[in-house]
Amino acid sequence: MGSYIQALALSIIGVFLLWFGYTLFFRNIVPGPGVRRRRRSGKVSSGVPGAPRTCPVCSALLAKGERVKSTAYPSMGGKDRLMYISGCTYCLEGDRVRSCPVCGAILKAGDILVAHMYDKPGRSHVHVIGCSQCKKVGKK
Ligand SMILES: [Zn+2]
Ligand SMILES: [Zn+2]
């Protein structure tokens, strides 16, 4: 009878140790909520304006898959297309200052950059000609 209780106690301790070991193990491989939630502002480095993968509005260096929000209009018979650029995720969320590379004005919410897009084989070239403040165009 005594040995039966002893065995039961030992198996309970064994199960407890196993559970404890699992908790430790999973804590090591699953990052806690504090590790996962990084602040994005300040993490973005600035690229050279006009370079590929650089936002023309705030010059943030964009990672793969991060796109600049823009609207391109159909070509009016010429080689270039009119393009309105709103900005990337960082400056549209207000993390970075949006400014016009042509006149230097700080863009307000709703202001856009006006650009010409030249479709070339391989990759297209975007040339910013101004913003809704210095070109007097854009959404109302
Ligand atoms: Zn941007
Ligand atoms: Zn401008």
Side-chain angles (χ1 to χ4, degrees):
M1 192 65 187
S3 63
Y4 175 74
I5 290 170
Q6 204 172 26
L8 194 75
L10 275 176
S11 64
I12 287 170
I13 289 167
V15 166
F16 178 76
L17 281 177
L18 201 70
W19 169 81
F20 190 65
Y22 260 96
T23 314
L24 276 182
F25 179 69
F26 281 115
R27 245 186 220 161
N28 283 340
I29 56 163
V30 180
V35 183
R36 273 213 172 150
R37 282 181 67 89
R38 282 183 301 151
R39 269 192 67 80
R40 210 158 52 173
S41 56
K43 285 267 174 193
V44 196
S45 48
S46 291
V48 183
R53 289 198 192 289
T54 304
C55 174
V57 188
C58 70
S59 69
L61 206 57
L62 301 178
K64 242 183 186 163
E66 291 180 328
R67 311 209 81 199
V68 173
K69 195 180 167 221
S70 60
T71 314
Y73 293 92
S75 171
M76 296 300 195
K79 277 181 182 172
D80 62 309
R81 297 203 282 164
L82 185 66
M83 198 177 181
Y84 287 169
I85 302 168
S86 306
C88 67
T89 52
Y90 302 109
C91 50
L92 286 176
E93 281 179 10
D95 280 353
R96 293 172 68 91
V97 175
R98 301 165 71 231
S99 64
C100 172
V102 179
C103 72
I106 304 299
L107 302 187
K108 296 189 286 273
D111 280 351
I112 45 93
L113 287 186
V114 187
H116 284 294
M117 189 169 80
Y118 300 90
D119 286 320
K120 283 178 182 174
R123 61 171 259 115
S124 44
H125 173 75
V126 176
H127 179 70
V128 178
I129 56 166
C131 65
S132 49
Q133 289 180 38
C134 60
K135 295 309 272 186
K136 307 270 183 238
V137 289
K139 298 160 198 165
K140 297 256 148 45

